[in-house]
Amino acid sequence: MSGEEANGKPVGAPPTSPTGRILPADSYTSTDPSKPVKLRITKEGLASLDPLSVPDLMNRTVRDHPDHPAMVYQDSQKKWQTVTYREYRERVYHMAKVFVKLGLEPHHTVAVLAFNSPEWFVSELAAIHAGGIITGVYTTNSAESVQHVLESSRAQIVVVDDAKQMEKVHSIRANLPLLKAVIQTMPPYAPYVKRDDGYYRWSELVEMNVDDVEEEFNNRLANIAINQCCCLVYTSGTVGNPKGVMLSHDSLTWDSYSIGKRLYQIRYAEEVLVSFLPLSHVAAQMVDIFLTLQFACTVYFADKDAMKGTLLNTLQEAKPTRMLAVPRVYEKIQEKMLSVGAQSTALRKMVAGWAKSVTLQHHLNAMEGKPTNSWQYRLVRNYLLSKVKDALGFSRCLTLATAAAPMDRETKKYFMSLDLPINEAFGMSESSGAHSLTAPDSYNFDTIGKALAGCETKIDKPDERGHGEICMRGRHILMGYIGEEAKTQDAVDEDGWLHSGDVGYIDDAGFIYITGRIKELIITAGGENIPPVHVENLVKNELPFVSNAFLVGDKRKFLTMLITLKTQMNLDTGAPKDELTPDTITALKEFGAEYSKLSEIHAAGPCPKVLKAIQEGIDRANLKAISNAQKIQKFALLKEDFSVPGGELGPTLKVKRNIVAEKNKEIIEKFY
């Protein structure tokens, strides 16, 4: 494509002048995707930087690093293929013209219902270059949920990856009068996938002649405004339908730069990342697509089974320099490492224990401002832990970050003992991703870090301890929720502060701490406010074979808990299996309980030995409770673990508390 000429100009060549402009606006918020907003640009500091459109960001990166690898993926023969930044832009320009030709209008949406792939990235940037809006839809969504997103976002084009997702869209297409085209990226194709009926194969669109829309495409580029919506991220809300968060060009290009500047020693055209978290989630949007475009990173794509065990293969191939994951991914790595370690000889265990304690102490000293570089630490780092990092694919990883849910302190300590400290990022869809991030020079186990440069934080309605609702303001804050004026006003106050719904405080050094969520706080019948995650983690730390510990007690006289054990997972569906994990089997043997299946434990009564082991763990956790009101009085062992298909977990594996409570209401009522 790059060699062809259109109107005397190479296809994929950038426009001669910057595409982004700023339109006049009278408000910082909007619920209309065509309406511009004011930008919160300051007189100095990072928030004073000139605004940049997404096409201008792409042009700058292609200008500076045209032949640098942008994307690396496995083709249908499982061979690794590379796309340079110049080729990336050519693909984006071509597909943007295809979208125009298929009927995408300005300020309307291209929705993607697919696992991460080069086609996802190209679709996103093509939609934006064509003057449209991109949105992602979780592949785990039902057809009904998909319809809500497509209607709300005013989607005119949908891109899916496989026949399963295509069938969802096909089943609801009659209900979507705005939808003009559905595109499938991978075979096999259902018989109804015919272009005459508005169903297309990606491969045929790559070959489509788009000369006739060249002028219209250039007009669209010229009319792009930096302060208009270009991206919709749907909140995976636990109550009601998800809301569409409108993000502007400026929010995405500015926040991605601010995040990068917080990362330790970030370098242009030298960073490597692996894309596997759902791109319908804001964290993956911001890091995988915009941070990488901002700093000319190389992105490797994991395969569809990444979260089911194949991620390690991609990490070993890519050797990423930065890694973003949700806590559950790190917990799975930790479980695997502990399982392997348990098979070691006594001598190896002793050496590994010494190495980890030396390394953990080195980092604990650094956190207290007492940097150490002892010969023991240098020996461990260079000769012992380097092999561990190699095996995990982290041999050159400078930043491991976690987002989307709180991470347990013990997991952080474990990775720190491997010389792999994990940085905690905090943000939400409404803040374009990150608002704060810990860093090697500003770290402790309990903080979510200091606010990124140019981002403001305040505590609303603080109590006598300084605890209150965490609020955020800056260029990264959403424009509004599409078509939802009242909800937008609830979220962003008249002074521009986004109310997070998280309770916390800021210490004298500027570190932000979260102590709970307003909606998730358990308020007992006695009026005690209890953050459930803290109590749940105390129990999980005592009982490593427990997968989920779910605290109950809102408006009740005392606290109770639902417990699930770690079982194996069906790799095709993500559903929990009856078979216990090898670690669980081993752990239960120590209590004289020899079982291989969860159903066997329940058939035995449930087994008194297993119940006794759980009770003893809860008793130990209760010793660490802040008050008597925070002690667990009763528990029940559930018959299967939480999962995405079961509805208890959201797409980023966060527990949906209302669903769990509803599904187990009979068990809960028996407690009281």
Side-chain angles (χ1 to χ4, degrees):
M1 211 190 308
S2 57
E4 298 173 18
E5 299 279 328
N7 300 333
K9 192 173 171 182
V11 174
T16 48
S17 59
T19 56
R21 59 203 177 112
I22 300 175
L23 293 176
D26 54 14
S27 172
Y28 287 106
T29 59
S30 167
T31 58
D32 175 353
S34 65
K35 189 179 172 188
V37 293
K38 290 160 79 173
L39 302 180
R40 206 169 285 279
I41 299 169
T42 58
K43 291 198 168 109
E44 56 187 22
L46 209 64
S48 68
L49 290 175
D50 287 341
L52 198 63
S53 73
V54 172
D56 281 338
L57 175 59
M58 173 153 249
N59 286 335
R60 188 180 72 185
T61 301
V62 174
R63 178 196 71 199
D64 295 342
H65 309 284
D67 300 316
H68 189 69
M71 301 185 284
V72 183
Y73 65 97
Q74 281 185 303
D75 62 18
S76 54
Q77 269 72 53
K78 297 291 181 189
K79 290 185 177 164
W80 290 98
Q81 304 293 340
T82 300
V83 179
T84 67
Y85 269 98
R86 182 190 279 115
E87 292 165 339
Y88 187 9
R89 185 175 64 189
E90 287 170 4
R91 293 185 183 196
V92 166
Y93 276 28
H94 176 78
M95 202 50 68
K97 293 169 198 171
V98 168
F99 288 167
V100 172
K101 191 161 180 165
L102 293 179
L104 178 66
E105 298 169 73
H107 315 301
H108 285 70
T109 300
V110 173
V112 183
L113 181 57
F115 186 72
N116 308 15
S117 65
E119 291 84 359
W120 219 123
F121 280 41
V122 168
S123 296
E124 166 129 4
L125 295 180
I128 294 171
H129 278 72
I133 295 166
I134 186 69
T135 195
V137 188
Y138 287 107
T139 55
T140 50
N141 279 12
S142 65
E144 184 185 20
S145 303
V146 171
Q147 182 175 323
H148 165 71
V149 173
L150 300 187
E151 283 176 338
S152 158
S153 66
R154 310 185 310 162
Q156 294 181 322
I157 295 173
V158 180
V159 179
V160 302
D161 54 1
D162 61 21
K164 180 183 173 185
Q165 305 301 342
M166 175 59 92
E167 183 49 42
K168 287 181 192 173
V169 181
H170 182 247
S171 71
I172 56 174
R173 185 161 183 191
N175 308 331
L176 298 164
L178 288 180
L179 190 56
K180 299 178 179 181
V182 190
I183 304 163
Q184 187 174 326
T185 64
M186 296 188 314
Y189 305 97
Y192 59 76
V193 178
K194 297 174 186 165
R195 59 191 302 169
D196 291 346
D197 298 327
Y199 294 98
Y200 298 85
R201 300 179 183 195
W202 183 274
S203 55
E204 64 183 316
L205 298 180
V206 169
E207 304 300 325
M208 183 181 265
N209 186 309
V210 289
D211 292 349
D212 52 333
V213 292
E214 185 78 28
E215 187 177 346
E216 173 61 18
F217 170 64
N218 287 328
N219 288 339
R220 298 269 184 104
L221 269 181
N223 282 312
I224 280 174
I226 300 170
N227 57 338
Q228 279 181 318
C229 177
C230 70
C231 178
L232 282 169
V233 176
Y234 278 81
T235 59
S236 47
T238 50
V239 181
N241 277 323
K243 303 184 290 286
V245 174
M246 291 165 47
L247 301 175
S248 69
H249 289 256
D250 184 60
S251 289
L252 298 170
T253 58
W254 182 83
D255 197 42
S256 58
Y257 184 74
S258 185
I259 293 166
K261 298 313 281 183
R262 173 62 57 89
L263 296 178
Y264 177 66
Q265 293 181 346
I266 194 159
R267 301 149 302 176
Y268 283 87
E270 290 187 39
E271 306 290 349
V272 176
L273 290 88
V274 173
S275 179
F276 67 96
L277 292 179
L279 286 163
S280 27
H281 190 274
V282 74
Q285 273 284 318
M286 178 52 66
V287 172
D288 295 14
I289 295 182
F290 292 103
L291 180 83
T292 57
L293 189 58
Q294 182 78 248
F295 292 94
C297 310
T298 301
V299 180
Y300 278 73
F301 290 92
D303 67 29
K304 275 189 167 182
D305 293 326
M307 299 292 256
K308 299 171 186 173
T310 65
L311 177 60
L312 185 60
N313 303 341
T314 314
L315 292 174
Q316 289 168 337
E317 176 71 28
K319 297 183 174 55
T321 60
R322 315 283 170 175
M323 165 92 166
L324 172 69
V326 294
R328 187 70 191 114
V329 171
Y330 292 113
E331 288 166 11
K332 282 182 175 179
I333 294 172
Q334 179 184 1
E335 287 163 15
K336 183 74 175 167
M337 297 281 289
L338 290 173
S339 174
V340 171
Q343 317 300 321
S344 298
T345 62
L347 178 62
R348 282 193 162 205
K349 283 181 185 171
M350 190 175 75
V351 172
W354 170 77
K356 287 195 282 193
S357 68
V358 165
T359 309
L360 180 59
Q361 195 56 53
H362 166 84
H363 287 288
L364 293 175
N365 289 343
M367 277 165 54
E368 291 174 13
K370 301 184 288 192
T372 59
N373 198 19
S374 66
W375 68 265
Q376 294 102 321
Y377 169 65
R378 292 198 303 275
L379 174 75
V380 166
R381 184 190 61 200
N382 294 332
Y383 295 103
L384 296 177
L385 292 179
S386 58
K387 292 176 182 174
V388 175
K389 290 182 183 180
D390 269 343
L392 293 171
F394 292 150
S395 56
R396 54 180 188 172
C397 199
L398 293 175
T399 306
L400 292 171
T402 177
M407 176 174 267
D408 174 42
R409 165 191 282 253
E410 293 307 311
T411 303
K412 288 181 187 173
K413 275 189 175 177
Y414 177 78
F415 278 89
M416 192 171 265
S417 76
L418 298 178
D419 205 33
L420 292 167
I422 295 175
N423 294 328
E424 186 124 20
F426 167 72
M428 42 201 301
S429 306
E430 290 86 345
S431 66
S432 309
H435 173 79
S436 69
L437 179 65
T438 57
D441 60 348
S442 58
Y443 193 94
N444 68 52
F445 289 122
D446 302 312
T447 184
I448 51 167
K450 297 178 180 179
L452 297 173
C455 301
E456 299 177 77
T457 318
K458 79 163 185 177
I459 302 298
D460 191 45
K461 298 176 184 163
D463 62 16
E464 66 282 355
R465 298 172 303 157
H467 292 219
E469 185 178 14
I470 297 170
C471 297
M472 302 170 265
R473 189 166 69 176
R475 284 169 68 171
H476 58 319
I477 299 304
L478 82 162
M479 302 168 68
Y481 299 116
I482 187 168
E484 305 250 25
E485 189 65 48
K487 288 178 180 173
T488 299
Q489 289 177 6
D490 285 346
V492 183
D493 66 29
E494 56 191 18
D495 293 321
W497 290 101
L498 169 66
H499 289 248
S500 69
D502 287 302
V503 179
Y505 63 97
I506 306 171
D507 71 11
D508 294 339
F511 288 104
I512 308 168
Y513 299 82
I514 293 178
T515 54
R517 275 198 65 76
I518 291 173
K519 289 178 182 171
E520 287 183 3
L521 275 180
I522 288 175
I523 304 174
T524 63
E528 179 106 7
N529 285 12
I530 298 167
V533 174
H534 170 70
V535 180
E536 290 162 355
N537 281 339
L538 287 177
V539 173
K540 285 163 73 175
N541 289 342
E542 296 296 337
L543 299 167
F545 55 87
V546 163
S547 179
N548 282 283
F550 181 85
L551 194 67
V552 177
D554 199 44
K555 304 182 184 69
R556 308 281 191 172
K557 290 179 182 175
F558 54 87
L559 297 184
T560 56
M561 184 165 271
L562 303 175
I563 296 280
T564 70
L565 300 186
K566 289 177 180 171
T567 57
Q568 295 184 43
M569 182 174 68
N570 182 316
L571 295 185
D572 293 326
T573 64
K577 292 165 78 169
D578 189 28
E579 288 79 13
L580 301 170
T581 64
D583 294 353
T584 306
I585 293 169
T586 305
L588 294 181
K589 270 184 187 171
E590 292 180 20
F591 304 106
E594 298 206 16
Y595 298 101
S596 61
K597 294 182 177 180
L598 183 57
S599 58
E600 294 169 354
I601 295 173
H602 280 282
C607 171
K609 290 177 181 176
V610 175
L611 297 183
K612 182 170 182 278
I614 295 170
Q615 185 60 61
E616 287 172 353
I618 288 174
D619 291 343
R620 292 192 299 274
N622 281 341
L623 294 174
K624 299 172 184 173
I626 295 165
S627 69
N628 282 334
Q630 297 204 15
K631 290 182 177 177
I632 301 143
Q633 306 297 334
K634 297 179 182 179
F635 77 91
L637 179 63
L638 300 186
K639 292 186 176 176
E640 68 173 15
D641 197 4
F642 300 166
S643 66
V644 175
E648 301 95 345
L649 301 180
T652 56
L653 308 183
K654 262 196 278 199
V655 175
K656 293 187 170 183
R657 306 194 79 86
N658 57 331
I659 304 280
V660 174
E662 178 62 29
K663 284 184 81 168
N664 297 284
K665 60 184 177 186
E666 289 181 17
I667 296 171
I668 291 168
E669 287 309 318
K670 284 180 185 172
F671 285 147
Y672 300 99

